[in-house]
Amino acid sequence: MSNILVLVELSTAGNISRSAGELLSLASTLGTPVAVLATPHVAPGIVTELGSLGAQHVFLGQTETEPMLLLTPQVEALWQAVQKFRPSAVLASSTIDGREAAARLVARTEGVLLANAVAVRFDGERIVATNSVFGGSYSVESTAEGGLPIITVQSGVLEGRAPEVAAHVTVHHLTLNPEGSGVVEGSTAVVASSRPDLRTAGKVVSGGRGMGSKENFALVEELADVLDAAVGASRAAVDAGYVAQSSQVGQTGVSVTPELYIALGISGAIQHRAGMQTAKTIVAINSDEDAPIFDVADFGIVGDVFAVVPQLISAIRSRSQGSS
Amino acid sequence: MKIIVLIKQVPDTSEDRHLDSATGLLDRSSTEGVIDEVNERGLEVALQYKDSHKGTEVVALSMGPQGTSQALRKALSMGADAAIHLLDVNLSGGDAAWTSKALSAALKTTAFDLVVAGNESTDGRGGAVPAMVAERLSLPLLGSISAVDIHSTSVTGQREVESGTLSVRASLPAVITVTERSPEARFPNFKGMLTAKRKPVKTLSLADLSLDPSERSAAARSVVVSVAARPARQAGKKIFDSGTAGVELAEFLAAGRLL
Ligand SMILES: Cc1cc2nc3c(=O)[nH]c(=O)nc-3n(C[C@H](O)[C@H](O)[C@H](O)COP(=O)(O)OP(=O)(O)OC[C@H]3O[C@@H](n4cnc5c(N)ncnc54)[C@H](O)[C@@H]3O)c2cc1C
Ligand SMILES: Nc1ncnc2c1ncn2[C@@H]1O[C@H](COP(=O)(O)O)[C@@H](O)[C@H]1O
């Protein structure tokens, strides 16, 4: 079987990011999964972990500790691995790092970028990637002609797990020129949240400008917690500082496809709908009966969030008490 | 300091956008083209530096069909000093790799210290072209940054990735991409609109860049296999709260096994 390279991202704290499992699992449906990563620290635990996620080979590009170069080591490791493993495709996550590394590899190999795939399959001889365009309004399938397909894959849309194996490891020392690279001078890790991750959550509760203030936004979080849902937001709520930018849903934020999406005090501008209109069930609460969010809502309530939501929360709480 | 701002004209995101179902390409007739909002913010980053550093030259560069000149005029009226329009029939419908090849060739025709692009376009959402440009020109790339600070020999910013925030730096010349967390752009004022008419717009074709159209047909490329439109969503039930809507919603959720 042909090799499929997977770019493994490490968090600022050095842990394997969750997307690695998803990508290795996808790679195992297309060929032999080869994990590629770049790090100054060759921790044996990482190789075992990648094997348990399905990587047959691990190509580890070892770098110097200082200076910490921005993404250049990852691109170089991929480039070396492309030459060693002659893969039939390269997969990266559709994250900020993954997209930039993939794009740079495309330029270096004169390959073909298939961006933001929600599905990837073999169609006879070629690899076909599906992507969702204009907020899910279109589904477009593309393939690569005349070059290596380098595919960025949306996180949270893939399921399954590759069989566990003991990975073979190749450690390759990377020689890099710091001149041509951005440098990382410092970092702060995000505080891990106990809430489900927005991209993969089965339920999402989002709040908009209608929440009125950061203090009032706590009501969105409270409803999210009784439903075990992730917290989302409109851009207006992010801009107003009610909530972190990583919670933004929409055109320029995260795209979500949960079972349940609840929009609180969100008008439903087309750019917001672009990130959530593929949810299975949409609920909206808005005091303006003409708000466009109602055009896509399965259950719309014209009302005040500060009246409806507390009542909803206590109704849910008394139901769960009644059933337990 | 000479700053080149990469500007893309895109369909207005506030209207319904369409794809040509046969080619998978953007149906440009269905919506009005505007400067992508993130590119206006990129221009603002450059203009703010120019405001406080006399002698700075800001050039807007865009590749696109004829109508792209409107976007460039707007950039000039906002304060850019000059514009370059990359226009050629053999550029239309190009994928990210081909677009980046043409933009890189155009950048080679001019000296610069900094290239400012958007982190991703609202139509393609590839977030790929600037990284490809940086790679082709062997320049450092600081992607997806906000709080951009331009110095005489370097540029710094904050890069927010999924696992945290990085403080990053690159020496000039460099390519940066800014996010929508960069400050909102200024509006063109009356004087800006008047002077824009006198500012130079240079049009470049593939021949001017010594790029051969046959290079494109020979090059690797992405090819659309199929395009399917998803049916529009239907509105469901809508109730007016008369004091019991919270309870009704809990019942709706329970009935759908969503609790
Ligand atoms: C290029 C571009 C990209 C964009 N990307 C995104 C994106 O990714 N995500 C995004 O969300 N937006 C995005 N936007 C912005 C978008 O156009 C809207 O401005 C934004 O979504 C509005 O947010 P909102 O609905 O919270 O605010 P508003 O439009 O101000 O709506 C607030 C709503 O709250 C309701 N309300 C007020 N008080 C109450 C109450 N007590 N009870 C119930 N309802 C109440 C009001 O009736 C109103 O409908 C983008 C815009 C552009 C130009
Ligand atoms: N045709 C183009 N002309 C000028 N700049 C472009 C073009 N295409 C992409 N860019 C730049 O690259 C950024 C990211 O675009 P994309 O890679 O298409 O998501 C845009 O915000 C622009 O700054």
Side-chain angles (χ1 to χ4, degrees), chain A residues 99 103 113, chain B residues 5-10 28 36 38-39 61-65 68 84 86 96 99-100 103 115-133 176-178:
Chain A
R99 296 201 305 180
L113 181 69
Chain B
V5 183
L6 295 186
I7 283 179
K8 188 175 184 187
Q9 197 185 35
V10 296
R28 290 195 187 261
D36 212 350
V38 75
N39 294 145
L61 166 59
S62 188
M63 170 188 132
T68 304
I84 303 173
L86 203 49
T99 302
S100 71
L103 288 171
V115 174
V116 182
N119 65 330
E120 71 174 39
S121 55
T122 50
D123 57 351
R125 290 208 76 175
V129 169
M132 291 175 177
V133 167
I176 65 170
T177 77
V178 302

Side-chain angles (χ1 to χ4, degrees), chain A residues 299 301 308 311-312, chain B residues 239-251:
Chain A
F299 192 98
I301 296 174
V308 178
Q311 189 182 66
L312 170 64
Chain B
I239 63 167
F240 289 76
D241 181 28
S242 55
T244 55
V247 173
E248 286 174 66
L249 177 52
E251 281 161 10

